[in-house]
């Protein structure tokens, strides 16, 4: 599978502009994390791109999210990417993250949303104006971006061996590099 095929698959199943942007953000984050971890940034990027491809079709049924894509697209996605996608929603799918790639998508999925929420409260609403310190400060505020699971983000230290401040910086920088596509 290459990026072009993955993007076509994604847009076949997702239509929400915000979910498509989230997928692009996760792709950028995963590519940057792959470089940091010495892994294959193409495979990691495709994982980030496709991780929420079934989100619209599984809406209201969290137990299906992460699994439904493989019923819709059987035998299309490589098994290592499939496992990472299934495991990023392990609380519901009961497929536990095992590899570094599995844990990376689990941790950065939540962080990309927190970063976007942080940008949207700034006067200029631009990723370029964000700093890792600002994102971490907002992360500590329980009432801010309540949907972003801080526990999953914080697993970056234990499961990836990346300190939180560095993890936030990697993901933020990756997102800043594609800010025109994210319209932020």
């Amino acid at each position: 599978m290459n990026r072009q095929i993955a993007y076509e698959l994604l847009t076949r199943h997702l239509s929400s502009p915000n979910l498509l942007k989230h997928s692009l953000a996760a792709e950028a984050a995963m590519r940057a994390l792959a470089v940091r971890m010495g892994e294959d940034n193409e495979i990691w990027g495709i994982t980030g791109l496709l991780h929420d491809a079934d989100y619209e079709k599984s809406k209201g049924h969290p137990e299906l999210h992460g699994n439904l894509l493989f019923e819709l697209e059987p035998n299309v996605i490589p098994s290592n990417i499939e496992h990472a996608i299934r495991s990023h929603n392990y609380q519901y799918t009961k497929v536990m993250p095992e590899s570094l790639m599995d844990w990376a998508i689990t941790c950065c999925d939540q962080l990309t949303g927190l970063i976007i929420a942080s940008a949207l409260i700034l006067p200029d609403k631009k990723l370029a104006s964000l700093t890792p310190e600002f994102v971490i400060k907002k992360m500590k505020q329980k009432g801010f971006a309540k949907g972003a699971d801080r526990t999953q983000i914080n697993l970056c230290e234990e499961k990836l061996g990346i300190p939180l401040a560095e993890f936030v910086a990697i993901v933020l920088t990756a997102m800043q590099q594609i800010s025109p596509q994210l319209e932020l």
Side-chain angles (χ1 to χ4, degrees):
M1 173 166 284
N2 62 37
R3 194 211 185 259
Q4 176 71 28
I5 292 168
Y7 188 78
E8 289 169 6
L9 190 153
L10 176 72
T11 56
R12 189 165 45 245
H13 296 289
L14 277 186
S15 60
S16 163
N18 286 341
L19 283 172
L20 290 169
K21 289 176 199 171
H22 169 68
S23 297
L24 293 173
E27 176 190 20
M30 287 292 287
R31 285 181 182 280
L33 289 165
V35 170
R36 164 60 170 78
M37 303 298 290
E39 299 287 338
D40 186 321
N41 71 347
E42 183 72 7
I43 292 170
W44 282 43
I46 289 170
T47 300
L49 189 63
L50 293 179
H51 81 286
D52 276 350
D54 66 8
Y55 191 83
E56 287 176 342
K57 293 181 178 170
S58 65
K59 193 167 177 115
H61 298 281
E63 72 283 0
L64 297 178
H65 175 51
N67 286 324
L68 184 59
L69 177 62
F70 306 103
E71 292 175 26
L72 299 169
E73 300 286 345
N75 306 312
V76 173
I77 299 167
S79 61
N80 57 339
I81 295 174
E82 178 178 339
H83 189 272
I85 292 170
R86 288 184 189 272
S87 70
H88 93 281
N89 189 27
Y90 66 90
Q91 299 90 331
Y92 292 99
T93 63
K94 306 301 183 208
V95 176
M96 288 303 295
E98 296 170 358
S99 70
L100 288 174
M101 183 169 74
D102 297 352
W103 284 111
I105 189 61
T106 298
C107 298
C108 82
D109 179 26
Q110 300 296 314
L111 181 55
T112 59
L114 186 76
I115 288 171
I116 289 171
S118 297
L120 291 174
I121 65 166
L122 296 175
D124 67 358
K125 298 181 181 346
K126 297 292 182 191
L127 289 169
S129 300
L130 279 181
T131 64
E133 296 77 20
F134 183 83
V135 174
I136 290 170
K137 179 181 171 187
K138 298 311 282 181
M139 186 175 159
K140 291 178 182 176
Q141 297 175 0
K142 291 182 183 180
F144 179 76
K146 291 180 191 177
D149 185 337
R150 275 80 163 154
T151 303
Q152 281 187 226
I153 296 168
N154 282 311
L155 286 171
C156 67
E157 296 187 350
E158 175 188 344
K159 301 299 184 178
L160 300 174
I162 302 175
L164 179 63
E166 181 185 354
F167 187 71
V168 171
I170 291 168
V171 174
L172 174 59
T173 300
M175 290 174 65
Q176 287 169 333
Q177 291 172 350
I178 64 159
S179 60
Q181 293 99 308
L182 301 178
E183 298 177 349
L184 290 172

